[in-house]
Amino acid sequence: MSRDVVGACPLDCPDACSWVITVDDDGKATKLRGNAEHPHTRGGLCVKVNPFLEFSRDPSRLLHPMKRVGAKGEGRFERITWDEALSTLAERLEHILATDGGDAIWPFDGTGTVGYLQGVAARHRFWNAIGAARHHASICSISGHVGISYTSGSAAGMDPEDVVHSRTILLWGSNTLTSNQHLWPFVEQARANGAHVVVIDPIRHRTAERADEHVALRAGTDAAFALGLCHVIRSAGVNDRFLTERTSGWDEFAESLDEYTPERVAEICDVPAEQIIALGRRIAAHGPTAIKLGQGMQRQRHGGQAARVVSCVPALTGDYTRRGGGLVYSTGDAYGLNSHKYSRTDLRPGNERTLVMTRLARDLRRTDPAVKALIVMGANPVVSNPGQRAVREELGRDDLFTVVFDAFQTDTADYADLLLPSTLQPEHTEVMDSFGHLYLNWNEPAIAPPGECVSKTELLRRLAKAMGMTEPALFASDLELAADLLDTPKWRDAGIGVDALRSAGFLRVPGTESYMPFAERFATASGLFEFASDRAEADGHGRLPSYRPPREAADDASGTFALISPASHFFVNSMFAGIGRNTERSGEPTVTVCAADAENNALPIGELVSVGNDRGSFIARLVVGTAARPGVAIAPKGAWTKSYVGGNSVNATTLERDSDMGAGAVYHDNRVTITRIAG
Ligand code: SF4
């Protein structure tokens, strides 16, 4: 008799789909499908994940621990035993702890899996117990979170499912059909009820094609566009009562809008003034308006400020207090899990150094102390980090001991001293929240790990033992770790512990059945929506939300392009991107420009071109398409460097520099030239 096991997709995607794996009598997974019972994901997975079982059985899967035998970066390894791997790692960490201290050890968790036990959602307690440096996971969305925190206090401003009640929907920097596809049926339901759907994005992607309106603004000018909308709404009709009773600083902010006339904003954003006026009036008159804010727009020098400004739009109309109105960037804040109890920060010996994920090369150059051990888990920074050349140089250092814990030999794994085989989602226990809905998923292991693969939690239990550690918390089982996560009043008072979640497979976050988080008060210290913020001013971001130009994106220098590297339709980040079938179906790396730009710059359509700047370059095939507005080049991220002619990918051109808030990455604030390849 076969059996069905409920789990969840582990990838870095807001949908956090519930799935069902059928397992036969021999313990083999025979089928993967979406869980039709899940109220949000409703039985669907996606093109990226439908072949998950096939990927997990790919012949290139890592099955045994290995040690490096070639030069760093060469990718030559030989098999060793787990005993040898663990004793090597334990001895190295003990030596570093004795000579340089925990600050010289960098546990580098990536977004390959975003769960709590095996992924990046919470820091495992082992690292706190040895006092390793903290890892600031800045690669994805941090700038937007910080920006929004200054106004409303939380990025979870509405239930995304409530867009069915919206009359105007702004999909802002969100290619919903590719990167948040389970929201789309709710959008379509709203549209069937008469809602107007607008995509605001420099790229005319699949979602923009399907929307009622597309605002193809100049890259990096989102804040100016939002201020232009606010300017129009100020005249067309604001919600005076809401502004008086529920906000602070409105008069100051309103006055600052004088300079953002539609004509000036049209110039900044390169969109028609009429479009700004019409959309502003629509928002004023045809609410509630829902804004689904994607991460792409905040990967700019002033990305945090941009998200801060956009969050002001629903405050002018009071839409934050109307069902179907407001802004959602991430629903993560709604979950209230006990990360502290899971991570056991109380075990830390006292050192507090933080190293920043998107500053990998720069922080590896620090000498206070120098990082001596880099433990990469679920991350592929050679592909995913900005500043590819510098990252490779630092990973190639002889004095850096690098461990890569992964299911495949990624581009980063080629630099490992120890390469350790990890389980994948069907083979381990996991707890998954979502940043796109309000259900908590349980992932039950469906099958035994192949070869000698182990989960992250098991690896760290074994490592604690190998290092002679005795703290009982380090040997907690996965079920005990999950119980610690759920040990908060929110979940306890609802009677939800591990058993309840495990038997249900997924559960809605208690208290969110009718989720309007700002109906009574905002999540700021004052409880008000703060147009003006003393805290932002003290932090150097200005008292009022404002437009600040990007570093490179909006320059429009002749013959150069703002390079945007959006998500591929075939993989999430770089997960499985180098697996045979994925490289075939995603095709060779491309860079897309509009026909006019190709002609004006005499670019060779259909041929390989070099895309680059003073940071580096990569080679891709030049494609002409309507997705790119003038001045923009599009090169999807995620493909492994092994897929590129010349061995460099998009991030050879990006800048390892912090955004304005939270040390976020600035992937899309990137100017390149495109040139023919001689010969
Ligand atoms: S990548 Fe996203 S849409 Fe695809 S299965 Fe995973 S959670 Fe669902």
Side-chain angles (χ1 to χ4, degrees):
M1 275 278 288
S2 62
R3 63 194 174 92
D4 286 343
V5 182
V6 174
C9 174
L11 300 188
D12 180 17
C13 168
D15 295 18
C17 292
S18 178
W19 71 24
V20 181
I21 295 177
T22 302
V23 181
D24 69 15
D25 282 348
D26 297 328
K28 184 172 184 235
T30 56
K31 188 175 171 191
L32 169 71
R33 62 189 186 279
N35 186 353
E37 305 294 319
H38 195 281
H40 189 87
T41 60
R42 300 175 175 180
L45 295 175
C46 73
V47 67
K48 302 158 190 166
V49 164
N50 287 327
F52 198 104
L53 294 179
E54 181 189 324
F55 294 154
S56 71
R57 293 193 279 256
D58 191 87
S60 63
R61 177 86 188 261
L62 297 175
L63 298 174
H64 308 283
M66 295 195 284
K67 70 178 179 187
R68 179 170 60 82
V69 292
K72 290 198 175 193
E74 212 181 306
R76 285 200 294 125
F77 295 91
E78 73 178 18
R79 183 174 170 180
I80 56 174
T81 64
W82 264 115
D83 281 349
E84 184 181 350
L86 287 167
S87 62
T88 303
L89 179 52
E91 278 169 27
R92 185 61 77 115
L93 295 184
E94 283 164 357
H95 176 73
I96 294 169
L97 288 169
T99 54
D100 301 278
D103 284 344
I105 298 170
W106 188 349
F108 191 97
D109 276 317
T111 55
T113 163
V114 293
Y116 279 83
L117 271 57
Q118 317 299 344
V120 72
R123 178 187 172 89
H124 192 279
R125 57 186 58 173
F126 171 84
W127 302 116
N128 284 326
I130 67 167
R134 293 179 189 276
H135 172 69
H136 178 48
S138 54
I139 204 159
C140 183
S141 60
I142 186 72
S143 307
H145 279 285
V146 177
I148 293 168
S149 77
Y150 289 121
T151 54
S152 65
S154 169
M158 63 177 289
D159 181 349
E161 294 179 9
D162 274 349
V163 298
V164 298
H165 304 293
S166 309
R167 291 174 71 205
T168 301
I169 299 172
L170 308 185
L171 302 173
W172 200 314
S174 168
N175 183 1
T176 311
L177 283 165
T178 283
S179 298
N180 188 187
Q181 70 174 60
H182 292 87
L183 179 63
W184 188 253
F186 297 95
V187 173
E188 285 285 27
Q189 190 180 334
R191 186 141 73 165
N193 294 334
H196 183 76
V197 179
V198 184
V199 163
I200 302 171
D201 201 306
I203 301 179
R204 188 166 183 80
H205 43 56
R206 303 154 61 87
T207 313
E209 289 280 357
R210 299 267 294 273
D212 299 306
E213 181 180 346
H214 177 208
V215 179
L217 77 182
R218 185 177 272 136
T221 62
D222 301 78
F225 187 77
L227 289 163
L229 292 180
C230 290
H231 179 103
V232 175
I233 298 167
R234 185 185 63 172
S235 309
V238 295
N239 184 329
D240 287 320
R241 184 169 174 192
F242 177 85
L243 289 169
T244 303
E245 294 178 0
R246 302 290 312 279
T247 74
S248 65
W250 163 242
D251 289 344
E252 287 173 71
F253 182 64
E255 196 180 327
S256 77
L257 296 174
D258 285 349
E259 61 180 303
Y260 292 100
T261 62
E263 293 71 27
R264 176 161 176 255
V265 170
E267 207 169 293
I268 295 171
C269 301
D270 192 25
V271 298
E274 297 72 32
Q275 192 173 27
I276 301 165
I277 294 168
L279 184 54
R281 287 179 178 164
R282 179 183 288 280
I283 292 168
H286 296 280
T289 296
I291 301 176
K292 168 57 195 168
L293 194 62
Q295 285 85 21
M297 58 82 76
Q298 49 94 64
R299 292 179 186 148
Q300 297 275 352
R301 178 189 195 182
H302 295 297
Q305 191 72 241
R308 182 184 177 197
V309 176
V310 173
S311 71
C312 293
V313 175
L316 269 68
T317 53
D319 277 339
Y320 279 115
T321 56
R322 301 169 74 187
R323 184 163 299 285
L327 177 145
V328 60
Y329 178 57
S330 163
T331 51
D333 283 351
Y335 282 81
L337 295 168
N338 197 341
S339 295
H340 174 73
K341 188 168 185 187
Y342 174 84
S343 296
R344 294 295 306 267
T345 43
D346 57 299
L347 296 177
R348 284 192 74 79
N351 58 321
E352 293 295 337
R353 177 158 88 156
T354 296
L355 299 168
V356 179
M357 184 175 192
T358 43
R359 279 185 214 154
L360 176 59
R362 201 169 5 144
D363 279 359
L364 283 177
R365 286 190 212 109
R366 287 174 64 165
T367 54
D368 56 339
V371 173
K372 295 287 177 62
L374 180 72
I375 319 296
V376 180
M377 301 184 133
N380 188 5
V382 167
V383 171
S384 299
N385 266 58
Q388 193 167 74
R389 179 164 55 192
V391 167
R392 279 177 162 151
E393 278 171 16
E394 293 307 311
L395 290 180
R397 264 173 33 194
D398 284 335
D399 64 337
L400 179 69
F401 182 73
T402 300
V403 179
V404 172
F405 179 62
D406 208 301
F408 297 97
Q409 189 173 333
T410 62
D411 293 326
T412 305
D414 289 347
Y415 289 83
D417 293 280
L418 281 180
L419 182 49
L420 306 178
S422 83
T423 46
L424 287 168
Q425 192 82 333
E427 303 146 13
H428 57 219
T429 303
E430 184 57 289
V431 178
M432 308 286 308
D433 67 4
S434 162
F435 52 101
H437 60 65
L438 292 164
Y439 296 86
L440 183 66
N441 289 322
W442 178 264
N443 182 78
E444 183 75 10
I447 56 174
E452 295 181 286
C453 295
V454 299
S455 65
K456 180 166 106 176
T457 47
E458 176 61 15
L459 170 65
L460 296 177
R461 283 188 288 263
R462 291 187 189 185
L463 184 55
K465 186 173 176 214
M467 291 174 70
M469 301 172 82
T470 55
E471 164 58 49
L474 300 180
F475 301 96
S477 69
D478 288 357
L479 295 184
E480 289 167 332
L481 291 168
D484 286 346
L485 276 173
L486 289 165
D487 190 13
T488 63
K490 181 173 227 159
W491 294 88
R492 231 180 10 241
D493 294 352
I496 298 172
V498 167
D499 290 346
L501 179 61
R502 199 176 175 196
S503 70
F506 55 83
L507 287 169
R508 185 149 175 123
V509 178
T512 64
E513 290 69 24
S514 177
Y515 185 71
M516 293 183 63
F518 304 146
E520 304 297 329
R521 61 177 281 127
F522 285 90
T524 55
S526 65
L528 301 171
F529 184 93
E530 298 184 4
F531 287 108
S533 167
D534 294 339
R535 187 166 67 89
E537 186 172 33
D539 291 345
H541 305 307
R543 182 169 164 73
L544 294 173
S546 64
Y547 168 64
R548 300 175 188 192
R551 184 174 188 275
E552 300 181 5
D555 283 353
D556 276 9
S558 167
T560 67
F561 295 84
L563 181 67
I564 299 179
S565 47
S568 160
H569 196 61
F570 293 100
F571 27 83
V572 177
N573 303 330
S574 74
M575 277 296 287
F576 304 126
I579 306 302
R581 179 168 160 193
N582 249 350
T583 53
E584 278 166 32
R585 64 182 186 161
S586 62
E588 64 183 339
T590 59
V591 59
T592 301
V593 300
C594 69
D597 280 344
E599 186 179 338
N600 294 340
N601 293 283
L603 295 176
I605 300 166
E607 293 183 22
L608 292 177
V609 291
S610 176
V611 183
N613 52 32
D614 59 1
R615 296 181 282 273
S617 63
F618 64 94
I619 293 171
R621 195 163 297 279
L622 186 83
V623 173
V624 161
T626 55
R629 50 156 284 138
V632 162
I634 304 166
K637 66 179 179 179
W640 293 7
T641 61
K642 294 165 185 173
S643 304
Y644 283 77
V645 173
N648 289 336
S649 66
V650 174
N651 278 320
T653 63
T654 52
L655 178 63
E656 190 184 80
R657 178 195 168 102
D658 292 353
S659 69
D660 55 347
M661 298 180 192
V666 296
Y667 293 108
H668 304 321
D669 203 343
N670 180 22
R671 188 147 288 274
V672 297
T673 55
I674 301 177
T675 52
R676 286 173 180 273
I677 296 178

